[in-house]
Amino acid sequence: MTSLPTDTGTGSAPPPGCPAHQPTREATASGLPVLYGAEFAADPHATYDRLRADGVAHRVELAPGVEAVLVTGYDAALEVLRSPYFSKDARRWTALAEGKVPADNQVVPMMGWRPSLWFADGERHLRLRASVDDALGRVNPHQLRTYVQRSAAQLIDRFAGDGEADLVAQYADPIPALVFAQLFGCPDGLTARMASACSRMMDAEPAVAHAGGGELAMFLGELIGVKRQKPGADLTTWLLNHPSALTDEEMIHQLVVLIGAGTVPQTAWISTGTMMLLADERFASDLTGGSLTVADALNEVLWLHSPLSNFSFVYAVHDHTLRDQRTGAETHIPAGVPVLISHAAANTDPTLDVDSGQRAANTSHLAFGAGPHACPARDTAGVIAEVAIEMLLDRLPDMALAVNATELAWRPGPFHRALTALPVTFAPARTSSTEPSDASVGESWNPADAPSSTRPAPISTPRPPGSAPKAPRRWWSFLVRSRPGR
Ligand code: HEM
């Protein structure tokens, strides 16, 4: 694990000489800095630091031979995200259209155009976005909490007795899909299929991901048919009945974007947040003292480890010049080249006047984007992450990292900042045994009808929203501090 970017720096000083003309350590034949490979994954902030010295935007490689412009300055990122001179329409990507980037390149599934709100501009985006905003706005936060609690309890029960777990594979990875299945109103028999298709769609192996995507689209088609016959109080029904009058194809793409946009960053946010709580003394001690909540810690993650690290692809409508307001340095952005916002670099821009003491309560980071395509699910995502972590802390209060935090590895690749695994140990615990307080949740997923292996376990300890339990945390905090090597 790297040191926290804005507290202790990246651990690697810029090389001597003019940084603008120094390739990063993992430079290619083109000489461009790269956003992939083990070295970048291990310490992306070393790359961001070098790039910053050269201005607010820079040519980079996203994958071998795939060129883009990366915006690292906070003000410049806001300018691009809010500007009408940049489009989301990926059909403007010249190198892809001309076959210079092969269609099976690893970044194409993420960046290639699809008929969803994500790639839409103007009126079309407004229409599609309205349906998503309105549907998400109808989600009852209390019911959402119950969905997360049920899913969390079910997953924790599977490993609580083992005394050890990998919280990425066994918890943070599967929990968003389980919550989405309930939000979408999946009938009982379809929940497991949806969770499995989601997980396959996110597989690192392109063939598996492609098959998973096809499976998910087929499944969502079935779900739409079911909801037309039997509407419910769920996202699928609200989207179907929205005045935007979505076609079936648009419906499927809206649902795929909700899942795709939601699951991967959600997984990263939950696992990085848990890691920070376990590994970073500032949180362990502050939580013990009661001055910081789990939500505060999660907000700090958004500043320091933005789950979507380099994202928000856009294309200049015409050739564009981006100007660094402070230095006057200009970066030429040709039309047809993907422009990515480095949410990670922008949030840690040294010119920002946000000191570490203010971060937890300050939500002006760009982790959820900005402008017309800013994340519509900020509140929903916050509830999911917060409740998921609270459940872990409640059920496994003596949980500790099984390895030194510096040994944790991060997923390679340009787009996400996500741990590959989060091994923890804890005293083996019993499975939960009391009933959840909200009995109304069973409408779409009746635990009694589910096979016993997938039956959600009831919830044990209700606590006020956002609060971290104080007494058990002392023991947990002690474990964190006493571990050698931290
Ligand atoms: C419940 C979970 C989530 C859902 C359903 C969700 C959904 C979405 C959707 C539909 C969009 C596209 C909006 C548009 O194009 O108008 C979006 C954008 C975005 N989301 Fe989320 N999201 C979730 C969680 C997160 C999390 C945890 C993060 C990171 C902390 C995040 C960061 C972003 C960002 C940066 C964008 C802007 C992308 C762009 O401009 O290309 N989202 N999200």
Side-chain angles (χ1 to χ4, degrees):
M1 193 191 71
T2 55
S3 48
L4 297 177
T6 54
D7 291 317
T8 53
T10 60
S12 49
C18 173
H21 300 100
Q22 302 265 343
T24 59
R25 281 165 287 176
E26 283 189 74
T28 56
S30 69
L32 294 178
V34 303
L35 302 191
Y36 55 87
E39 195 175 345
F40 176 73
D43 194 358
H45 284 276
T47 298
Y48 303 145
D49 283 349
R50 286 191 182 86
L51 292 176
R52 271 193 201 105
D54 188 22
V56 292
H58 328 264
R59 287 171 64 208
V60 294
E61 268 198 6
L62 300 179
V66 181
E67 198 177 311
V69 171
L70 186 73
V71 179
T72 51
Y74 182 91
D75 292 340
L78 272 181
E79 181 185 330
V80 170
L81 289 169
R82 291 172 174 167
S83 167
Y85 302 115
F86 287 87
S87 161
K88 293 290 286 183
D89 190 338
R91 289 169 297 187
R92 293 175 183 270
W93 186 1
T94 314
L96 184 66
E98 291 175 351
K100 291 177 186 154
V101 171
D104 61 357
N105 187 285
Q106 70 241 49
V107 298
V108 174
M110 186 65 82
M111 295 174 62
W113 184 85
R114 288 183 298 281
S116 76
L117 81 163
W118 212 328
F119 298 92
D121 294 321
E123 287 296 318
R124 179 170 159 76
H125 177 250
L126 281 179
R127 172 177 156 264
L128 296 174
R129 173 78 184 219
S131 68
V132 166
D133 281 342
D134 292 348
L136 285 169
R138 293 180 69 173
V139 172
N140 174 337
H142 176 66
Q143 187 152 46
L144 175 62
R145 288 185 75 84
T146 313
Y147 289 160
V148 185
Q149 287 173 330
R150 283 178 184 280
S151 310
Q154 175 189 346
L155 293 169
I156 295 169
D157 273 352
R158 289 185 189 161
F159 57 74
D162 298 345
E164 61 178 14
D166 169 6
L167 291 183
V168 172
Q170 293 175 266
Y171 193 68
D173 231 3
I175 201 167
L178 288 177
V179 174
F180 276 113
Q182 294 165 87
L183 282 171
F184 284 6
C186 279
D188 299 338
L190 295 186
T191 300
R193 262 183 69 197
M194 177 174 152
S196 145
C198 275
S199 133
R200 283 158 57 78
M201 187 176 79
M202 304 300 166
D203 200 281
E205 180 57 51
V208 178
H210 188 76
E215 207 179 298
L216 184 67
M218 202 186 308
F219 160 80
L220 291 173
E222 276 177 49
L223 179 65
I224 290 165
V226 169
K227 290 294 157 184
R228 280 199 200 287
Q229 298 294 320
K230 191 169 179 270
D234 52 62
L235 280 177
T236 316
T237 302
W238 296 327
L239 285 171
L240 271 174
N241 295 343
H242 193 268
S244 298
L246 303 176
T247 64
D248 274 6
E249 192 199 25
E250 287 173 336
M251 267 299 296
I252 290 179
H253 282 283
Q254 298 286 88
L255 293 176
V256 168
V257 166
L258 283 171
I259 296 172
T263 47
V264 173
Q266 194 78 59
T267 293
W269 198 13
I270 293 169
S271 50
T272 311
T274 309
M275 178 276 285
M276 232 185 194
L277 286 162
L278 295 177
D280 189 323
E281 252 187 58
R282 290 172 310 138
F283 289 104
S285 51
D286 277 339
L287 280 163
T288 313
S291 58
L292 280 180
T293 63
V294 170
D296 291 332
L298 281 166
N299 203 46
E300 175 104 354
V301 171
L302 297 177
W303 280 103
L304 298 182
H305 299 287
S306 182
L308 293 178
S309 40
N310 304 296
F311 215 71
S312 296
F313 332 104
V314 285
Y315 299 83
V317 176
H318 305 291
D319 287 3
H320 190 93
T321 299
L322 203 57
R323 198 159 184 275
D324 184 338
Q325 300 301 334
R326 289 183 175 81
T327 65
E330 293 185 339
T331 310
H332 175 66
I333 301 182
V337 174
V339 179
L340 272 76
I341 302 301
S342 180
H343 304 276
N347 289 343
T348 52
D349 184 336
T351 63
L352 276 184
D353 192 18
V354 183
D355 71 33
S356 60
Q358 300 169 330
R359 271 195 307 257
N362 184 327
T363 55
S364 60
H365 55 74
L366 298 183
F368 287 109
H373 286 266
C375 183
R378 205 173 164 135
D379 295 343
T380 311
V383 171
I384 297 173
E386 194 179 325
V387 177
I389 293 183
E390 285 173 4
M391 285 292 290
L392 269 180
L393 299 179
D394 268 347
R395 290 283 307 278
L396 309 170
D398 61 348
M399 183 171 59
L401 286 180
V403 297
N404 194 298
T406 53
E407 292 167 42
L408 294 171
W410 299 85
R411 272 176 53 172
F415 306 125
H416 306 112
R417 186 66 177 154
L419 290 165
T420 56
L422 185 61
V424 293
T425 55
F426 44 83
R430 283 184 300 119
T431 55
S432 49
S433 58
T434 39
E435 282 300 321
S437 54
D438 184 350
S440 68
V441 120
E443 187 210 35
S444 57
W445 185 23
N446 184 351
D449 294 342
S452 57
S453 60
T454 59
R455 193 173 297 160
I459 314 309
S460 49
T461 339
R463 245 183 326 106
S467 69
K470 294 202 175 79
R473 202 60 36 73
R474 279 189 202 106
W475 168 236
W476 168 64
S477 173
F478 163 75
L479 280 179
V480 170
R481 286 206 197 95
S482 63
R483 187 175 284 279
R486 278 211 185 87

PDB file of all heavy atoms in Angstrom, residues 445-456:
ATOM      1  N   TRP A 445     -37.970 -10.062  -2.253  1.00  0.00           N
ATOM      2  CA  TRP A 445     -37.018 -11.138  -1.973  1.00  0.00           C
ATOM      3  C   TRP A 445     -37.367 -11.715  -0.615  1.00  0.00           C
ATOM      4  O   TRP A 445     -36.907 -11.262   0.402  1.00  0.00           O
ATOM      5  CB  TRP A 445     -35.595 -10.564  -1.967  1.00  0.00           C
ATOM      6  CG  TRP A 445     -34.546 -11.606  -1.804  1.00  0.00           C
ATOM      7  CD1 TRP A 445     -34.630 -12.934  -2.090  1.00  0.00           C
ATOM      8  CD2 TRP A 445     -33.242 -11.401  -1.294  1.00  0.00           C
ATOM      9  NE1 TRP A 445     -33.470 -13.554  -1.813  1.00  0.00           N
ATOM     10  CE2 TRP A 445     -32.574 -12.643  -1.323  1.00  0.00           C
ATOM     11  CE3 TRP A 445     -32.540 -10.302  -0.825  1.00  0.00           C
ATOM     12  CZ2 TRP A 445     -31.274 -12.803  -0.900  1.00  0.00           C
ATOM     13  CZ3 TRP A 445     -31.241 -10.472  -0.411  1.00  0.00           C
ATOM     14  CH2 TRP A 445     -30.616 -11.704  -0.455  1.00  0.00           C
ATOM     15  N   ASN A 446     -38.236 -12.710  -0.640  1.00  0.00           N
ATOM     16  CA  ASN A 446     -38.729 -13.259   0.616  1.00  0.00           C
ATOM     17  C   ASN A 446     -37.733 -14.256   1.180  1.00  0.00           C
ATOM     18  O   ASN A 446     -37.528 -15.313   0.600  1.00  0.00           O
ATOM     19  CB  ASN A 446     -40.090 -13.935   0.364  1.00  0.00           C
ATOM     20  CG  ASN A 446     -40.689 -14.441   1.653  1.00  0.00           C
ATOM     21  OD1 ASN A 446     -40.021 -14.444   2.684  1.00  0.00           O
ATOM     22  ND2 ASN A 446     -41.951 -14.844   1.590  1.00  0.00           N
ATOM     23  N   PRO A 447     -37.085 -13.939   2.309  1.00  0.00           N
ATOM     24  CA  PRO A 447     -36.054 -14.818   2.843  1.00  0.00           C
ATOM     25  C   PRO A 447     -36.579 -16.213   3.109  1.00  0.00           C
ATOM     26  O   PRO A 447     -35.864 -17.197   2.927  1.00  0.00           O
ATOM     27  CB  PRO A 447     -35.622 -14.147   4.143  1.00  0.00           C
ATOM     28  CG  PRO A 447     -36.350 -12.876   4.250  1.00  0.00           C
ATOM     29  CD  PRO A 447     -37.324 -12.764   3.129  1.00  0.00           C
ATOM     30  N   ALA A 448     -37.839 -16.315   3.487  1.00  0.00           N
ATOM     31  CA  ALA A 448     -38.372 -17.636   3.832  1.00  0.00           C
ATOM     32  C   ALA A 448     -38.450 -18.538   2.603  1.00  0.00           C
ATOM     33  O   ALA A 448     -38.390 -19.760   2.704  1.00  0.00           O
ATOM     34  CB  ALA A 448     -39.752 -17.476   4.453  1.00  0.00           C
ATOM     35  N   ASP A 449     -38.611 -17.951   1.419  1.00  0.00           N
ATOM     36  CA  ASP A 449     -38.734 -18.752   0.206  1.00  0.00           C
ATOM     37  C   ASP A 449     -37.391 -19.085  -0.427  1.00  0.00           C
ATOM     38  O   ASP A 449     -37.306 -19.892  -1.330  1.00  0.00           O
ATOM     39  CB  ASP A 449     -39.556 -17.981  -0.853  1.00  0.00           C
ATOM     40  CG  ASP A 449     -40.985 -17.797  -0.387  1.00  0.00           C
ATOM     41  OD1 ASP A 449     -41.387 -18.533   0.539  1.00  0.00           O
ATOM     42  OD2 ASP A 449     -41.666 -16.917  -0.931  1.00  0.00           O
ATOM     43  N   ALA A 450     -36.356 -18.379   0.008  1.00  0.00           N
ATOM     44  CA  ALA A 450     -35.047 -18.586  -0.618  1.00  0.00           C
ATOM     45  C   ALA A 450     -34.441 -19.906  -0.165  1.00  0.00           C
ATOM     46  O   ALA A 450     -34.731 -20.374   0.930  1.00  0.00           O
ATOM     47  CB  ALA A 450     -34.116 -17.449  -0.234  1.00  0.00           C
ATOM     48  N   PRO A 451     -33.605 -20.538  -1.031  1.00  0.00           N
ATOM     49  CA  PRO A 451     -32.917 -21.727  -0.580  1.00  0.00           C
ATOM     50  C   PRO A 451     -32.055 -21.389   0.637  1.00  0.00           C
ATOM     51  O   PRO A 451     -31.573 -20.255   0.752  1.00  0.00           O
ATOM     52  CB  PRO A 451     -32.043 -22.132  -1.766  1.00  0.00           C
ATOM     53  CG  PRO A 451     -32.114 -21.027  -2.740  1.00  0.00           C
ATOM     54  CD  PRO A 451     -33.250 -20.135  -2.362  1.00  0.00           C
ATOM     55  N   SER A 452     -31.849 -22.351   1.533  1.00  0.00           N
ATOM     56  CA  SER A 452     -31.176 -22.011   2.791  1.00  0.00           C
ATOM     57  C   SER A 452     -29.795 -21.425   2.563  1.00  0.00           C
ATOM     58  O   SER A 452     -29.337 -20.561   3.294  1.00  0.00           O
ATOM     59  CB  SER A 452     -31.086 -23.228   3.696  1.00  0.00           C
ATOM     60  OG  SER A 452     -30.405 -24.248   3.009  1.00  0.00           O
ATOM     61  N   SER A 453     -29.095 -21.865   1.479  1.00  0.00           N
ATOM     62  CA  SER A 453     -27.744 -21.359   1.254  1.00  0.00           C
ATOM     63  C   SER A 453     -27.753 -19.872   0.933  1.00  0.00           C
ATOM     64  O   SER A 453     -26.778 -19.174   1.142  1.00  0.00           O
ATOM     65  CB  SER A 453     -27.083 -22.120   0.116  1.00  0.00           C
ATOM     66  OG  SER A 453     -27.844 -21.943  -1.038  1.00  0.00           O
ATOM     67  N   THR A 454     -28.848 -19.379   0.356  1.00  0.00           N
ATOM     68  CA  THR A 454     -28.878 -17.958  -0.010  1.00  0.00           C
ATOM     69  C   THR A 454     -29.816 -17.168   0.882  1.00  0.00           C
ATOM     70  O   THR A 454     -30.051 -15.997   0.656  1.00  0.00           O
ATOM     71  CB  THR A 454     -29.370 -17.778  -1.463  1.00  0.00           C
ATOM     72  OG1 THR A 454     -30.671 -18.347  -1.554  1.00  0.00           O
ATOM     73  CG2 THR A 454     -28.450 -18.420  -2.457  1.00  0.00           C
ATOM     74  N   ARG A 455     -30.393 -17.833   1.886  1.00  0.00           N
ATOM     75  CA  ARG A 455     -31.363 -17.137   2.736  1.00  0.00           C
ATOM     76  C   ARG A 455     -30.664 -16.059   3.551  1.00  0.00           C
ATOM     77  O   ARG A 455     -29.694 -16.321   4.241  1.00  0.00           O
ATOM     78  CB  ARG A 455     -32.018 -18.159   3.669  1.00  0.00           C
ATOM     79  CG  ARG A 455     -33.237 -17.628   4.355  1.00  0.00           C
ATOM     80  CD  ARG A 455     -33.921 -18.743   5.108  1.00  0.00           C
ATOM     81  NE  ARG A 455     -34.399 -19.787   4.216  1.00  0.00           N
ATOM     82  CZ  ARG A 455     -34.686 -21.014   4.618  1.00  0.00           C
ATOM     83  NH1 ARG A 455     -34.527 -21.376   5.873  1.00  0.00           N
ATOM     84  NH2 ARG A 455     -35.112 -21.897   3.751  1.00  0.00           N
ATOM     85  N   PRO A 456     -31.151 -14.814   3.470  1.00  0.00           N
ATOM     86  CA  PRO A 456     -30.479 -13.751   4.213  1.00  0.00           C
ATOM     87  C   PRO A 456     -30.662 -13.927   5.705  1.00  0.00           C
ATOM     88  O   PRO A 456     -31.734 -14.258   6.171  1.00  0.00           O
ATOM     89  CB  PRO A 456     -31.183 -12.473   3.737  1.00  0.00           C
ATOM     90  CG  PRO A 456     -32.481 -12.928   3.190  1.00  0.00           C
ATOM     91  CD  PRO A 456     -32.301 -14.334   2.721  1.00  0.00           C
TER      92      PRO A 456
END
